[in-house]
Amino acid sequence: MMRVAIVGGGAVGFACAHALADEGHVVEVVDRGVPEAAASTGNAGWMAHMDILPLASPKAWANMPRWMLDPLGPLSISPSYFPRLVPWLVRFTLASRPSRIAHGAAAIHALNALAMPAWNRCAARSGVGGLFRNRGILSVWNRTSDFEAAAGLHARQSALGIAVERLDAAAVRRLEPAFGPEIVGGAFYETGLHVSDPRAVVDTLRAEARARGITITVGDVTRLRSKPEAVAVELSSGSVLTADRVVIAAGAWSKRLAADVGDRVPLDTERGYNITVAPGTLGLSRPVMYEGLGFVTTPLDIGDRIGGSVEFAGLDAAPNWRRVDAMLGRLKRALPHAKVEYGVRWMGFRPSIPDSLPVIGRASGDARVVHAFGHGHYGLTQAAATAEIVAAILGDRAAPLDPTPYAASRF
């Protein structure tokens, strides 16, 4: 039995807390206590275990020139933040080489293939299973050339055992009659899932953690300090916690903590935006990815969520709510009859790594510290799988998959 401190109270952090408590460890979660800004609570709610491509892929590069010409488009970089982002962009470019894309796709598939079995094991001993909604996930295209080009990806997914059905425009509208004439084709993933509300998932994991005796401390961790007898976790309040082992699962705030234990990780922040409108507003029954338009929609139990958009502007810049307005303008092209003038707007921080792979594994400077961050758009999807890998590493046994591709040493 060990004392384990987990820095980060999102989906990954609490999934790790439960996995480690299952093995008899004494666990304490240190949570910043700002759920409104956390990607774990404001995301689209997808279990996107069907995805296999990193962001640094031909699809992204094909769309990027068009997106970058629009300052409110699906991807933008704040001019004032650009100099700080240059090292990340260099690595993103290097990750776009064919050999690196193939390596990244294999690693994403391996982790995503473990995702739902791990969540099912988590659900069997917790209340999160009742929050899953199994209605499939749909991708749609508004450009015939792009839809035709996606056939290669769908063939690769099928070869990996991922069920995907290509649909013509008429078939898309039979599945979801709300779509207008601009949609020319689609791909349906029948095994795709979403959750009732991503915040409900984290709240359930948190409540069950308290019920089983896991300590939850609200505070901002400013530093990790390695000492011979333990790892010190220093908080901005001046308090210091000590633990035999530490898990860094602080999402977009993990970079400086990883540096404390010897790892310079090229982590940056994708600021994501969404708006949640009344349930049923969009007239859609399942999650939809709007390929080329740069956003998704999800029929959460709490309302229809329209989200997406990638903005690089750091952790401190004020939200640019015009990005939501621009996203709603693009939505009108696909769903011309949707009335989405009113809703709850949100902006949060995705922890983004240039090769789209999370950082999972022991720290270079202190093997008592394990990284579990940088999941980008897949934090909810990969949380339970990450927790099983972390528990295996801390238990000095073989992980359920080879963790080498996710190690911080790859940088």
Side-chain angles (χ1 to χ4, degrees):
M1 181 179 71
M2 296 182 292
R3 297 169 300 154
V4 183
I6 298 174
V7 184
V12 174
F14 275 113
C16 288
H18 284 283
L20 292 168
D22 287 343
E23 301 197 354
H25 301 303
V26 177
V27 180
E28 180 169 1
V29 176
V30 186
D31 183 8
R32 292 180 65 247
V34 191
E36 293 77 13
S40 284
T41 58
N43 63 69
W46 290 31
M47 295 293 189
H49 59 98
M50 319 84 55
D51 287 2
I52 62 171
L53 282 183
L55 181 60
S57 68
K59 183 176 79 170
W61 283 108
N63 286 309
M64 198 170 296
R66 175 164 51 91
W67 288 348
M68 291 296 291
L69 289 173
D70 181 0
L72 298 177
L75 187 152
S76 72
I77 302 172
S78 168
S80 63
Y81 195 71
F82 183 84
R84 294 179 58 183
L85 191 63
V86 167
W88 190 97
L89 290 171
V90 170
R91 288 186 177 273
F92 182 82
T93 302
L94 293 174
S96 301
R97 293 173 295 174
S99 62
R100 300 310 300 165
I101 292 174
H103 171 82
I108 290 172
H109 173 59
L111 193 52
N112 281 351
L114 181 61
M116 288 318 302
W119 268 118
N120 289 336
R121 286 186 285 271
C122 180
R125 58 184 186 273
S126 72
V128 297
L131 304 176
F132 296 167
R133 303 290 181 264
N134 190 354
R135 302 173 195 161
I137 288 176
L138 177 66
S139 289
V140 297
W141 281 259
N142 67 329
R143 292 169 176 253
T144 301
S145 59
D146 291 346
F147 178 53
E148 292 173 348
L153 168 62
H154 299 147
R156 289 177 61 188
Q157 291 172 317
S158 294
L160 292 169
I162 299 168
V164 53
E165 179 185 4
R166 284 175 62 82
L167 308 173
D168 62 19
V172 170
R173 275 181 275 281
R174 284 195 296 272
L175 197 62
E176 295 289 358
F179 283 120
E182 178 149 334
I183 299 305
V184 300
F188 180 57
Y189 299 88
E190 64 179 4
T191 63
L193 292 89
H194 68 286
V195 298
S196 62
D197 173 14
R199 183 162 184 170
V201 174
V202 178
D203 287 348
T204 298
L205 292 174
R206 181 186 292 109
E208 293 185 353
R210 285 199 179 97
R212 67 186 301 185
I214 293 172
T215 301
I216 301 173
T217 298
V218 175
D220 184 15
V221 176
T222 57
R223 184 174 181 181
L224 300 180
R225 191 188 299 270
S226 297
K227 296 186 176 182
E229 69 282 2
V231 180
V233 181
E234 301 180 359
L235 278 64
S236 60
S237 64
S239 299
V240 180
L241 311 176
T242 58
D244 302 312
R245 302 291 185 271
V246 171
V247 178
I248 301 176
W253 290 268
S254 299
K255 182 175 182 176
R256 54 187 170 83
L257 301 179
D260 289 342
V261 286
D263 291 310
R264 297 184 62 184
V265 177
L267 173 69
D268 215 288
T269 303
E270 293 180 30
R271 294 150 56 97
Y273 291 80
N274 68 44
I275 181 171
T276 304
V277 298
T281 296
L282 302 182
L284 300 172
S285 60
R286 54 182 52 82
V288 178
M289 164 70 80
Y290 300 78
E291 300 283 353
L293 294 175
F295 65 90
V296 304
T297 58
T298 313
L300 301 174
D301 289 13
I302 60 168
D304 290 355
R305 180 161 291 172
I306 305 116
S309 178
V310 172
E311 178 190 44
F312 288 99
L315 290 168
D316 300 321
N320 180 1
W321 297 119
R322 293 183 300 162
R323 298 190 63 76
V324 173
D325 297 330
M327 189 163 51
L328 294 180
R330 296 194 296 274
L331 176 74
K332 281 288 188 180
R333 294 164 56 182
L335 296 168
H337 302 297
K339 305 294 184 183
V340 291
E341 287 79 5
Y342 305 102
V344 178
R345 300 182 178 217
W346 175 89
M347 188 276 285
F349 306 97
R350 302 187 195 101
S352 182
I353 302 290
D355 61 7
S356 298
L357 298 179
V359 182
I360 307 172
R362 294 188 187 275
S364 301
D366 191 332
R368 297 170 298 179
V369 179
V370 173
H371 301 310
F373 62 85
H375 295 76
H377 295 252
Y378 299 109
L380 181 62
T381 301
Q382 298 171 349
T386 299
E388 291 188 351
I389 297 168
V390 168
I393 291 172
L394 287 179
D396 293 319
R397 63 177 186 275
L401 54 72
D402 179 9
T404 304
Y406 318 101
S409 59
R410 71 186 191 268
F411 305 117

